[in-house]
């Protein structure tokens, strides 16, 4: 009887711990801004048309902080990807689902 009770308590503990992990919401960071998605793999740049900092993966979230720049005919937006929430930079708006 003690062994069966131990098995039941172990199973309940695993289920409760798993539920707590699933309940945590996913987000890019606590920074203000609009979350949208990347349409394709995209370089995050230090400035529009500037040095590439890193590559963000298609389908992942991108938090746009509201800053935009026009370089010629292309619109660039400032923010960070879900993969690197501590690195802000610029991406072409056409590579995202963000409404400009």
């Amino acid at each position: 009887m003690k062994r069966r009770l131990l098995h039941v308590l172990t199973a309940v503990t695993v289920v409760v711990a798993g539920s707590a992990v699933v309940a945590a919401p996913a987000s890019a960071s606590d920074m203000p801004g609009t979350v949208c998605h990347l349409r394709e793999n995209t370089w995050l740049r230090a400035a529009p048309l500037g040095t590439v900092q890193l590559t963000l993966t298609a389908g992942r979230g991108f938090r746009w902080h509201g800053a935009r720049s026009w370089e010629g005919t292309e619109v660039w937006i400032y923010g960070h990807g879900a993969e690197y929430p501590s690195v802000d930079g610029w991406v072409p708006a056409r590579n995202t689902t963000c409404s400009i």
Side-chain angles (χ1 to χ4, degrees), residues 10-61:
T10 301
V12 168
T13 302
V14 169
V15 168
V16 169
S19 298
V21 171
V22 171
S27 65
S29 80
D30 295 336
M31 294 286 296
T34 302
V35 176
C36 48
H37 292 91
L38 296 167
R39 298 179 195 270
E40 57 189 72
N41 290 346
T42 303
W43 287 338
L44 184 73
R45 295 178 178 265
L49 301 174
T51 305
V52 175
Q53 295 176 308
L54 49 91
T55 302
L56 301 174
T57 308
R60 298 295 307 265

Side-chain angles (χ1 to χ4, degrees), residues 40-98:
E40 57 189 72
N41 290 346
T42 303
W43 287 338
L44 184 73
R45 295 178 178 265
L49 301 174
T51 305
V52 175
Q53 295 176 308
L54 49 91
T55 302
L56 301 174
T57 308
R60 298 295 307 265
F62 183 81
R63 186 176 299 269
W64 171 41
H65 299 306
R68 55 179 92 79
S69 173
W70 286 265
E71 296 298 323
T73 59
E74 183 148 40
V75 178
W76 292 74
I77 57 176
Y78 183 79
H80 62 267
E83 299 159 291
Y84 304 97
S86 62
V87 181
D88 286 340
W90 295 88
V91 298
R94 65 178 161 77
N95 290 3
T96 73
T97 62
C98 296

